[in-house]
Amino acid sequence: MKTIDELLAEGVAGKRVFVRADLNVPLDGTTITDDGRIRAVLPTVKALADAGARVVVASHLGRPKGAPDPAFSLASAAARLGELLGADVQFATDTVGDSAKAVVAGLADGQVAVVENLRFNAGETSKDDAERGAFADQLAALADLYVGDGFGAVHRKHASVYDLPARLPHAAGYLIAKEVSVLKKLTEDVKRPYTVVLGGAKVSDKLAVIDELLGKADRLLIGGGMAYTFLKAKGYEVGISLLQEDQVPKVKEYMERAEKSGVELVLPVDVLVSTEFPDLKTKAPADFDTVDADQIPADKEGLDIGPKSRELFASKVTDAETVFWNGPVGVAEHPDYAGGTTAIAQALLDSKGFTVVGGGDSAAAVRNLGFDESKFGHISTGGGASLEYLEGKTLPGLAALED
């Protein structure tokens, strides 16, 4: 895989460099609530601009239906990128149309532009190779070189991620190089004990990675909404908690495998329960009780791990040599149910081992809860991509960057 440093050594001054970034930031209207992904691509964009390249940044945002939708515009992300760079960043109001062509043609050496959301074009996500390829051809006409640096999208076989690198000389940006280096530490010659904390809503989203980790991790800590399917598999009442009944047999199988293979599978021993889901907009005080995990009332929902579980989980994290965490272990958007997620984050900071926060909601939670990002070993920008890498899958965006 060619690196951006090699590309810079060859010279990029005056050349149009297409940077496939991941600017898929959370928005409240037009206000960015977490700019972590924009900051993550800064080193690549700045290095290219400083070397005199004419930088064309492209990304998706959200899931528009292959047509323009103002709710998913990258205008706010482009403005924030300019603020972080301390330079004017031009914005094209389309992706491959007249605006994009004019903006790119008008770039001077060292200038940066952002084109509109790639997913406003049906060809970006099409499953038809010809349609996707045709869109990639249009993108290729905007550039001389390609730099892949949108790690959060490398598990997608999309035109800008998979097809475009085949049409231009290409290299991996600093972010992708760092992400791959970190993930190799979780899959090759891992320092032990190796603890994995998995949270989030649905156990079905994590089945493949659990399957893979049962042969690699020393401990699996299960929290979040997915924990209730595991508790149900143990025969416990879970009330109105989030439950995937159809996954109970598979979860039972994994629990048996863990026991046979010597993998410590740790579940919550107590939980915070309520009869109603919290108001996440006003964050009004919640009415909840703390009960043992086998004593959840039939009319209540588990919304966070309890204090005994927090202490238990933390003890399994702090003495580990390697820790990977993906997914909040409670409804961390509400202060009354953020205690478990806060405890996990603090345990990672207290660990003397190599710690990785696996992107997505857990990365956002770390920032929103006020933790210092620099204190963690690594905070990934791609939750889904990280999980698929750990599952042992070939990621299309990484394969496309191989020479």
Side-chain angles (χ1 to χ4, degrees):
M1 187 181 291
K2 189 173 187 176
T3 67
I4 187 174
D5 285 331
E6 293 175 89
L7 196 69
L8 291 168
E10 294 170 359
V12 296
K15 294 183 178 179
R16 301 167 302 163
V17 182
F18 188 102
V19 177
R20 198 340 178 156
D22 179 9
L23 309 181
N24 185 29
V25 291
L27 294 172
D28 183 1
T30 59
T31 301
I32 296 170
T33 59
D34 179 6
D35 67 357
R37 283 176 169 162
I38 302 176
R39 287 185 285 112
V41 79
L42 280 179
T44 291
V45 173
K46 192 173 187 307
L48 290 166
D50 288 349
R54 303 176 182 191
V55 187
V56 182
V57 180
S59 175
H60 70 287
L61 192 153
R63 297 191 177 187
K65 306 296 184 183
D69 183 338
F72 298 106
S73 175
L74 280 172
S76 296
R80 182 58 179 151
L81 178 61
E83 292 172 0
L84 292 168
L85 286 171
D88 288 335
V89 168
Q90 298 181 56
F91 180 64
T93 56
D94 56 31
T95 311
V96 291
D98 291 342
S99 178
K101 292 172 184 175
V103 166
V104 173
L107 286 176
D109 294 0
Q111 288 190 322
V112 179
V114 174
V115 296
E116 186 55 285
N117 195 333
L118 289 158
R119 292 185 182 174
F120 285 180
N121 305 266
E124 168 67 2
T125 59
S126 176
K127 297 191 184 308
D128 181 82
D129 291 347
E131 184 179 9
R132 218 174 48 247
F135 182 55
D137 288 339
Q138 291 179 289
L139 293 172
L142 298 175
D144 306 302
L145 303 169
Y146 176 93
V147 172
D149 214 30
F151 180 74
V154 293
H155 57 315
R156 307 295 186 192
K157 192 176 181 181
H158 291 170
S160 65
V161 175
Y162 179 76
D163 302 271
L164 184 55
R167 289 159 168 78
L168 294 170
H170 52 265
Y174 291 123
L175 175 61
I176 279 187
K178 182 180 181 181
E179 294 273 15
V180 171
S181 173
V182 166
L183 288 169
K184 283 183 177 178
K185 291 184 181 180
L186 301 178
T187 53
E188 302 171 11
D189 194 27
V190 181
K191 291 185 178 179
R192 299 184 181 279
Y194 178 19
T195 294
V196 176
V197 186
L198 296 177
K202 295 181 179 179
V203 70
S204 56
D205 293 340
K206 305 288 197 317
L207 285 177
V209 75
I210 292 172
D211 185 47
E212 186 71 18
L213 288 170
L214 282 175
K216 295 181 177 177
D218 298 300
R219 302 164 180 158
L220 280 178
L221 281 53
I222 307 294
M226 61 184 288
Y228 301 100
T229 302
F230 278 83
L231 294 174
K232 184 70 171 181
K234 290 190 71 167
Y236 295 171
E237 169 67 60
V238 297
I240 57 172
S241 304
L242 192 60
L243 172 66
Q244 289 187 281
E245 190 85 48
D246 61 323
Q247 301 298 336
V248 169
K250 178 60 72 175
V251 165
K252 283 183 177 178
E253 176 194 324
Y254 284 171
M255 292 167 73
E256 291 169 0
R257 277 179 55 197
E259 187 173 1
K260 289 178 182 176
S261 59
V263 176
E264 190 177 1
L265 185 63
V266 183
L267 300 176
V269 294
D270 61 344
V271 295
L272 271 55
V273 297
S274 178
T275 54
E276 58 184 7
F277 197 79
D279 187 329
L280 299 182
K281 285 206 174 289
T282 66
K283 295 182 170 56
D287 180 20
F288 63 85
D289 297 312
T290 302
V291 300
D292 288 343
D294 60 352
Q295 297 295 319
I296 298 174
D299 64 341
K300 293 192 176 183
E301 176 179 13
L303 295 165
D304 194 12
I305 62 173
K308 289 187 289 187
S309 299
R310 295 169 195 175
E311 186 176 340
L312 173 64
F313 278 34
S315 71
K316 303 297 182 181
V317 168
T318 51
D319 71 340
E321 289 293 329
T322 305
V323 185
F324 174 75
W325 170 35
N326 180 278
V329 295
V331 185
E333 303 96 317
H334 193 284
D336 289 333
Y337 300 116
T341 299
T342 300
I344 297 297
Q346 186 60 53
L348 262 71
L349 291 184
D350 294 340
S351 171
K352 293 182 173 59
F354 179 62
T355 59
V356 179
V357 181
D361 292 337
S362 33
V366 163
R367 287 189 278 267
N368 293 336
L369 291 170
F371 286 93
D372 184 346
E373 295 177 63
S374 67
K375 302 298 184 183
F376 296 88
H378 179 67
I379 296 183
S380 179
T381 56
S386 295
L387 289 175
E388 291 199 15
Y389 190 100
L390 294 183
E391 289 167 23
K393 289 184 177 179
T394 297
L395 306 188
L398 296 185
L401 293 174
E402 297 290 348
D403 294 327

